[in-house]
Amino acid sequence: MSTAGKTSYVGLLKNGIFGENPVFRIALSLCPSVAVTNTLKGGLLMGIGVLCVQTLANVSVSIVRNFVHQRIRLPAYILIIGMWVTAINLLLEAYAYSLYKQIGLYLQLIVAFAIILSRAELFASKNKVMPSLFDGLGMGMGFLLALLTISFFRELLGSGSLFGYSIVQTKPVLLFVLPAGGFFAVGLLMGFFNWIDMRFFGGHGASGASH
Amino acid sequence: MGKLLELVIAASLVNNFVFTRYLGLCIFFGVSKKMDTAIGMSVTFISVMVISSSMSWVAYHFVMEPYHLEFLKILVFIVVIAGFVQAADTMMRKVAPGLYYKLGIYLALITTNCIILAVPLINADSGYSFMESIVFGLGSGLGFALALIIMASIREKLEVADVPKPFRGLPIAFVLTGLIALAFIGFSGLITL
């Protein structure tokens, strides 16, 4: 799927956002899509964290791809990712402390995201630096957009506000800020995207069907 | 002793990793299709969790704290856990090859699984003692096993259900998990630590 050696950079970006959207299409790294999305702020911070780590990890893996021996490549990639995650965490802890307190655990766990390691292994370890950079940007942006979509609905329905400013005055549906609501929201959105895909693009509703 | 028992119940039911902390979802959805794989995974998971939380406690308190290396905890915990899982993997291949072929890929995935990594991180952040760390790992493992087994028993029935086409596979599994999570809200407030 990622043999797109010669496609344009825009194509790589698009692939990450639509074609292989990490959350809705390949269904990897699902934990944060439920965990931090009860507010838009949380979703945004998490998305930015993943975007940075994915891009930086892709670039660094691509740079060292010719020096790392085949046998030890996975541990090496994990250490590279861990390094960037630590760096981003220290940065966010310094500049967005109050928010970091709430979702810090999930930010630290970016290191365990299947999506980042799988892009490093499937794409960055086989491609030059520039395509890897754009693949990372695309994947990260796809992730960010997915988190924003989910958290938009959850904050709007669950607390009647966006970014903490109240928008709707009616009684909110408390369910959507609760843990359970996150699962409902992701399930329904996934089903919805599958439906669009089948109805208008003739897809097979493949989202996560392999899991 | 009472405190430790409370910690087990809190970690397994009140703060169940899957239903209230949303961790480990990839594996949760991956292996919950069949009951026997779910049970095998649960056993592996509980043992890896207990042993890795004790090992990382030792690494944290005897190596990282004396040298003020706390900021490296993500990297160190990953290395400790990965090394241990690799050893467990080799052992399982020899001792229980049948189970190994069923769970092989997920055992490999355990290394970078979020729950396995989250437990030592939480232990370090909350300053648990050695016993408390082990018990917390045990409780979290039990909670995850409970979640897996509940989900597997439902999904076996789901195979024959008539689900709308766009919802087949993961979406309906998510909605199901939401329903179970609703039930788990009932446990909240049972114990406040």
Side-chain angles (χ1 to χ4, degrees), chain A residues 27 29 31 34-35 78-79 82 86 106 108-109 111-112 175 178-180 183-184 186-187 190-191 194-195 198 208 211, chain B residues 18-19 21-26 33 71 74-75 78 112 114 117 121 165-167 170-171 174-175 177-179 182 185:
Chain A
S29 313
C31 321
V34 191
I78 290 182
L79 286 183
T86 308
Y106 299 100
Q108 292 172 2
L109 291 175
V111 70
L175 174 68
L178 290 175
F183 289 114
F184 287 134
V186 175
M190 244 181 210
N194 276 352
W195 179 76
M198 287 159 73
H211 282 245
Chain B
V18 176
F19 298 124
R21 294 204 215 226
Y22 338 85
L23 288 174
L25 295 183
C26 302
K33 274 188 188 154
F71 68 96
I74 300 177
L75 283 175
I78 280 202
T112 56
C114 17
L117 186 63
L121 284 175
K165 221 176 160 209
F167 276 92
L170 263 192
F174 259 96
V175 175
T177 316
L179 288 174
L182 264 187
I185 293 176

Side-chain angles (χ1 to χ4, degrees), chain A residues 45 61 65 72 88-89 99 103 105 123 128 131 156 166 169 173 187 210:
Chain A
L45 192 67
V61 164
R65 72 183 187 284
I72 56 150
I88 301 275
N89 266 282
L99 204 52
I103 65 169
L105 178 65
F123 196 94
K128 293 210 178 78
L156 190 64
S166 70
Q169 298 304 326
V173 195
S210 57

Side-chain angles (χ1 to χ4, degrees), chain B residues 33 37 63 73 84 99 101 126 144-146 152 158 161 172 191:
Chain B
K33 274 188 188 154
T37 21
V63 181
K73 61 179 184 242
F84 166 67
L99 197 62
Y101 284 112
S126 347
F144 189 72
L146 180 68
L158 201 64
I172 192 71
I191 287 176

